[in-house]
Amino acid sequence: MELLHPLVFFVAAAFGLIATMVMDFVMDRLPEGRTPPAVAAAAVRGERPEDAGRGAVALSHYGSGTVAGVVYLGIFILLSMIVPDSTTMSLLALAGAGTIMFGLMIGVFFLGPLSHVGGLTAQRVGDIKRSWMISAGVYVITVGICMLLFVQA
């Protein structure tokens, strides 16, 4: 299937949702693993992370994870246009997309929601950052594997 076919974007959104669910498994095992989605929801609503409602946290987490799958696909498509068409170059484009996506996920979260939520100690912010970096890494690896299997099919 052609990468610019409209259905591919729905597939990418599904991959983003799948990667978010895999990320949940890891988040549950990290000290501040469930805090980043609460921080994102709280930043939007001007609340403390502890006060963010479960619905807002779930919408923030799964919504952004689903959209991130489409963003990953977009980055991959752009990189695929730059590199010659071959299996090796497709793998390089996927790896490049994953690297860029990881940087975006970290940068957007650190400079956006995390910097706008008050009431967190410096120690807790450091713990949240570490948990988010691990979670984002799991997300990027998972969505990358899904994309790889899809592109190679």
Side-chain angles (χ1 to χ4, degrees):
M1 186 179 292
E2 168 129 6
L3 283 178
L4 294 177
H5 192 283
L7 287 177
V8 173
F9 291 92
F10 288 107
V11 171
F15 289 164
L17 183 59
I18 290 166
T20 304
M21 290 188 276
V22 171
M23 184 170 58
D24 286 344
F25 181 77
V26 174
M27 288 176 130
D28 288 339
R29 285 146 182 80
L30 296 170
E32 290 285 355
R34 284 290 173 183
T35 306
V39 167
V44 170
R45 300 179 77 164
E47 301 172 333
R48 295 177 332 145
E50 293 78 16
D51 298 333
R54 288 182 60 178
V57 172
L59 180 62
S60 167
H61 181 54
Y62 294 106
S64 61
T66 301
V67 170
V70 177
V71 172
Y72 188 106
L73 173 67
I75 296 167
F76 173 66
I77 290 171
L78 288 174
L79 292 176
S80 294
M81 291 177 177
I82 296 169
V83 298
D85 190 22
S86 75
T87 302
T88 303
M89 294 317 248
S90 290
L91 292 174
L92 287 174
L94 273 172
T99 303
I100 292 168
M101 192 67 207
F102 181 76
L104 282 173
M105 288 177 73
I106 299 302
V108 167
F109 180 72
F110 287 6
L111 298 174
L114 191 58
S115 67
H116 289 90
V117 170
L120 300 173
T121 65
Q123 173 65 41
R124 186 153 183 225
V125 167
D127 292 343
I128 293 168
K129 284 181 174 182
R130 275 186 290 287
S131 292
W132 179 243
M133 286 189 287
I134 293 166
S135 299
V138 167
Y139 177 93
V140 168
I141 290 168
T142 304
V143 81
I145 291 169
C146 290
M147 292 280 186
L148 174 65
L149 296 172
F150 181 74
V151 169
Q152 297 300 318

